[in-house]
Amino acid sequence: MTQAVPHLVNRLVIDAEDSFDDVRRRYESLVPAIDFAELTEVVGTGDLAALQAYVAAHTPHSFAIYWTLDPMPVMRLSGHRLRAVTYMMGNNVIAETMFRHDPGTILYAPLRTAIHETASGPVRFSIDQPSTKFAGFGDPRIAEVGAQLDAKVAELLRLMALPVPPELITA
């Protein structure tokens, strides 16, 4: 059996008043890169409590960077000068709270973020709104975690001194 699951996702595009380097530096200081060798070692112990403690210690603002792609070396070959970088940002412990209900949620966890320059001037930070991605699974337990992720992303944006889109603000 195959199925198509239509769902609407909000892509949030936030203009920053700072330079590309400043936005990137602020983001990476708040969302540290995870050390995969260390993470693999902790997972290898088979101790869930140790994994939870490791993740908590390495996600001071709920998230860590699991992967970074700087496409600029390739893009410069075609003459592009505007910079961009993309990240996979997440939290293993939070992801598990959705995975337990539907392993397919791993399609969207970790979250993908991007920082890029524009020809018109502002640097932009972009992310798909988590609640709109996870609502597509049709499970209220997963949707609730998506809403919690919205709040965590809103807090991250505040810490980055970026505007918080109204879609992330819960009533």
Side-chain angles (χ1 to χ4, degrees):
M1 176 176 107
T2 62
Q3 58 180 294
V5 181
H7 62 104
L8 183 64
V9 174
N10 292 332
R11 180 170 24 108
L12 306 173
V13 181
I14 301 139
D15 285 355
E17 295 182 11
D18 297 312
S19 72
F20 177 88
D21 291 330
D22 287 341
V23 174
R24 184 174 186 176
R25 191 172 12 264
R26 210 162 43 245
Y27 177 75
E28 291 178 357
S29 73
L30 294 165
V31 184
I34 205 81
D35 182 322
F36 271 107
E38 278 184 7
L39 179 61
T40 300
E41 194 174 300
V42 174
V43 170
T45 69
D47 183 344
L48 179 59
L51 174 63
Q52 291 167 334
Y54 177 86
V55 171
H58 291 83
T59 56
H61 303 289
S62 301
F63 302 112
I65 295 170
Y66 289 90
W67 176 78
T68 303
L69 173 66
D70 180 349
M72 294 318 301
V74 171
M75 296 303 159
R76 281 191 189 100
L77 292 175
S78 295
H80 299 287
R81 297 291 170 242
L82 295 175
R83 293 177 293 169
V85 63
T86 187
Y87 304 89
M88 299 289 280
M89 168 188 88
N91 180 310
N92 297 68
V93 174
I94 295 171
E96 186 281 324
T97 66
M98 295 180 288
F99 187 91
R100 69 177 71 155
H101 304 297
D102 186 337
T105 58
I106 206 67
L107 177 63
Y108 301 124
L111 306 170
R112 190 163 181 171
T113 63
I115 300 168
H116 69 93
E117 295 175 316
T118 64
S120 60
V123 169
R124 292 194 169 136
F125 179 88
S126 300
I127 184 171
D128 286 342
Q129 183 179 359
S131 64
T132 62
K133 291 172 84 166
F134 293 112
F137 287 89
D139 184 321
R141 299 167 299 185
I142 295 169
E144 174 59 30
V145 177
Q148 292 168 9
L149 286 167
D150 282 2
K152 291 178 183 308
V153 168
E155 180 58 22
L156 176 62
L157 293 172
R158 283 185 199 95
L159 291 169
M160 290 178 66
L162 293 176
V164 176
E167 293 83 358
L168 293 177
I169 300 170
T170 58

